[in-house]
Amino acid sequence: MKKAIRIIVTIGFIVFLLMQLYQPARNLDDGQVLPEHFTKVYHVPQNVQAILRTSCYDCHSNNTNYPWYSYIQPGRIFMENHIKKGKKDLNFSEFGKYSKRKQGSKLEAIIKQMESGKMPIASYTLLHKKALITPTQKKEVINWINITKYSLSLEN
């Protein structure tokens, strides 16, 4: 019985080591802020930018700040899946590529996600305490989005 446990543990350790060889490409854009970036499409106040950068950009932009645990599998795979899904749903780095209608929908979705407390997700804020959004910060972002949406409706 002890021999079987030892074999299972050894195989598990070897699999864990082999998993470390798989390192997907990192989500980094070298800090470039292109014309289609959210902050270039809209005049975003510094306080709102700071909130979004701290709480949203890691998963919803082309530039992720990778913590130490992202170098260890399976954490990296888990993280990459979150980033891929997050960027599919909303990418602040490519916001200007969305149609005006889609931009409006995305802004509305941000409000709904923040009001419901679904964003940032709990698994992210568990390890990134700075990403937690206070009620005051939530109000700042939502107020700014509402003003922006209103000015968009006046343009159309």
Side-chain angles (χ1 to χ4, degrees), residues 11-149:
I11 291 172
F13 184 70
I14 291 170
V15 168
F16 174 77
L17 288 177
L18 289 173
M19 285 176 67
Q20 303 316 305
L21 297 175
Y22 176 68
Q23 293 291 322
R26 295 196 175 266
N27 183 43
L28 299 170
D29 64 3
D30 300 325
Q32 298 176 13
V33 179
L34 300 175
E36 60 267 8
H37 192 279
F38 185 70
T39 58
K40 298 293 183 181
V41 176
Y42 297 106
H43 172 70
V44 184
Q46 287 295 336
N47 61 327
V48 173
Q49 279 187 46
I51 295 164
L52 296 176
R53 193 178 309 111
T54 303
S55 301
C56 308
Y57 280 17
D58 278 350
C59 294
H60 294 284
S61 77
N62 292 340
N63 195 29
T64 300
N65 291 312
Y66 285 92
W68 65 269
Y69 60 83
S70 69
Y71 294 91
I72 302 169
Q73 297 295 7
R76 176 69 180 277
I77 294 169
F78 180 72
M79 194 169 172
E80 289 302 319
N81 286 336
H82 273 279
I83 293 168
K84 185 183 244 182
K85 182 178 181 338
K87 285 173 56 176
K88 181 179 172 225
D89 293 339
L90 170 66
N91 190 337
F92 287 106
S93 297
E94 299 178 6
F95 203 84
K97 292 181 180 179
Y98 301 149
S99 68
K100 289 293 181 191
R101 183 176 177 191
K102 188 171 185 177
Q103 288 178 18
S105 296
K106 295 294 181 185
L107 291 172
E108 189 62 39
I110 292 168
I111 291 172
K112 287 179 183 174
Q113 293 292 315
M114 289 182 80
E115 285 179 338
S116 68
K118 291 181 180 176
M119 286 290 157
I121 59 174
S123 61
Y124 182 74
T125 57
L126 182 67
L127 296 172
H128 301 89
K129 296 297 182 195
K130 290 181 181 177
L132 287 168
I133 299 175
T134 67
T136 302
Q137 291 173 319
K138 188 182 294 189
K139 187 175 180 181
E140 288 176 42
V141 173
I142 291 171
N143 286 344
W144 176 80
I145 290 174
N146 282 325
I147 291 167
T148 301
K149 281 182 9 192

